[in-house]
Amino acid sequence: MCASSKFLFIVAFKEMFEMESYENAKSICSDNGIIIESVGDFIHEVKDIDNESENLGSNHIIVFRGQRTCEWTVEPSVFRDRYLSIEHELLQQPLLQNPNEFNYSMDAFEIMTKYQHYGMCTRLLDLTTNPLVALYFACEIHGEPDLETPINGGDEEETSYGVVYYKRDYMVAASDQKVKIISALAQMNLNQINDIKYVLDELHRKNVISDRNREKWLSAEGVKEFIDILQKNYLVRPVYSNNRLIRQSGMFMLASCFTVKGNDVNDFIIEKSKDNFQSIFDGRFCIAEENKSAILQELDRCNINEATLFPELDHQLRYIKSSVKGKKAASDFVKYEPVSSNLKEQKINDEVASTQEFKSSTQKYLSNEYENNIADELWRIIFECTKNIDWYKESNKSKIVMKITRFLKRQGKTMGDSKQAAERIYEFVIYKAQKLSL
């Protein structure tokens, strides 16, 4: 990506934010990190970095990494929690258990890229070419906050700052031999056999290196070239095989960190090691805790938010939930009670239950709900109960409901279902009696 296209957005943003006397107001946080108080501040600083890089080569880019606190170390996930000792197993097990998820043409680096997307521990460090994406991650929390390793015991003042690291570097292709070598070594078990001859033989067997390279790197004159490959890290642009990589303008730092021990080529051994990559960056920006919320709101207006950076449905829904506010407070739930059941406020004619209309309406209701024989028996119970001129009074309700409940329970219903059905029948009868009394 050329410099002009990488930062076209700066032109638009510069019109949105005033930068009066910015240089005089610039502050420095701990360890010479520049304090950022707004998106405008950040864009101004990034533009300066880009201008300083104009004379570098065409394959040169600037990459960024945002972390919510500068207390965290900067390291790939496989370097944490002793995963490095079983890295070869972590990379092999998914291939064995879910072979259909992987194309047989995928090389080791492509497989690692897919693992990284789904949260597997790898030696890839997430970076981005879009500084605003990094700024978002410096201000936002995703996943568990304790997955990183604290530095210096976790200074409380230090943890109040989010951080964006930046680095000028040269990019290598995913197909580069150096990338293939490091990716293949990641798949190897170097816990037991790890002499240089074994490593080179395995790389040759896997067609990662040629026979010529194998012979050269086993010589006293050529081994230094191989050691240099093992002890450099590589900025790699992955194949944009998923929407998240595309939306986040993702890049990877492929960590090497292989320690070589011994005095000469005949006794060199190679060990997997880990490192804190904080020192490889050219500089960093610091964001105080009290400024994060305002910066996230500015980024949201620039269409940098959880929904645009994460295409998965759970992130889309979480963003909608957090961004949409209710307009009106909900009222408390009140259970519906038919007016007809409030016996203190209604008047029912003592003769209404004996009318043909009451009988027809009640029987029709029952026949719609139950089989004919059950409906007939329910009507008989209601007819007997309503012979009492005070049948509709509250004091008689429990007697009627209980008789209906017992009958329905004998038909195979549970006690709870029978009682609920009896309550509904009683409410209908009262409602119909009240209506016919008007």
Side-chain angles (χ1 to χ4, degrees), residues 300-430:
D300 192 22
R301 290 193 289 272
C302 300
N303 207 29
I304 301 290
N305 53 53
E306 183 175 1
T308 58
L309 298 182
F310 296 89
E312 296 83 5
L313 181 60
D314 58 330
H315 289 283
Q316 302 292 314
L317 298 182
R318 187 160 56 198
Y319 171 74
I320 293 171
K321 177 183 175 183
S322 64
S323 60
V324 177
K325 305 294 183 184
K327 303 298 183 183
K328 180 181 178 181
S331 59
D332 292 334
F333 168 75
V334 177
K335 186 176 180 180
Y336 172 70
E337 294 289 350
V339 175
S340 59
S341 66
N342 188 343
L343 302 180
K344 293 181 180 179
E345 297 180 7
Q346 73 178 7
K347 185 175 182 180
I348 294 178
N349 189 317
D350 292 340
E351 304 296 325
V352 73
S354 61
T355 64
Q356 182 60 37
E357 189 173 357
F358 177 83
K359 177 181 178 181
S360 298
S361 298
T362 305
Q363 287 181 325
K364 182 177 179 181
Y365 170 81
L366 295 173
S367 63
N368 287 336
E369 296 289 327
Y370 302 97
E371 295 178 2
N372 289 340
N373 59 327
I374 297 177
D376 291 342
E377 183 60 21
L378 287 171
W379 165 248
R380 189 193 64 78
I381 295 171
I382 293 169
F383 178 75
E384 291 295 324
C385 291
T386 55
K387 285 182 177 180
N388 178 359
I389 60 172
D390 294 324
W391 66 271
Y392 52 83
K393 298 286 182 70
E394 185 69 19
S395 57
N396 292 317
K397 175 182 176 180
S398 60
K399 297 177 183 177
I400 300 173
V401 170
M402 183 53 67
K403 286 184 178 182
I404 297 174
T405 299
R406 287 174 179 170
F407 170 73
L408 291 175
K409 188 172 183 300
R410 290 197 299 270
Q411 308 310 306
K413 290 181 175 291
T414 64
M415 176 59 78
D417 289 343
S418 299
K419 186 173 181 181
Q420 288 181 8
E423 295 266 1
R424 289 195 298 271
I425 292 171
Y426 178 82
E427 293 292 343
F428 173 83
V429 169
I430 291 293

Side-chain angles (χ1 to χ4, degrees), residues 125 166-168 233 253 275-282:
L125 185 70
Y166 68 89
K167 177 177 175 59
R168 306 174 185 89
N233 305 307
M253 180 69 72
D275 195 11
N276 177 10
F277 289 144
Q278 199 173 68
S279 61
I280 72 170
F281 290 94
D282 299 331

Side-chain angles (χ1 to χ4, degrees), residues 107-109 175-188 199-211 213-214 217 226 229:
D107 62 22
F109 180 78
S175 58
D176 190 287
Q177 186 185 49
K178 297 184 287 293
V179 173
K180 291 182 177 294
I181 288 172
I182 302 305
S183 302
L185 283 172
Q187 294 181 327
M188 290 188 195
V199 169
L200 289 170
D201 285 347
E202 282 294 294
L203 291 174
H204 180 261
R205 185 181 65 82
K206 294 181 177 183
N207 296 317
V208 176
I209 64 174
S210 65
D211 187 64
N213 278 338
R214 176 184 171 279
W217 291 338
F226 182 61
I229 293 174

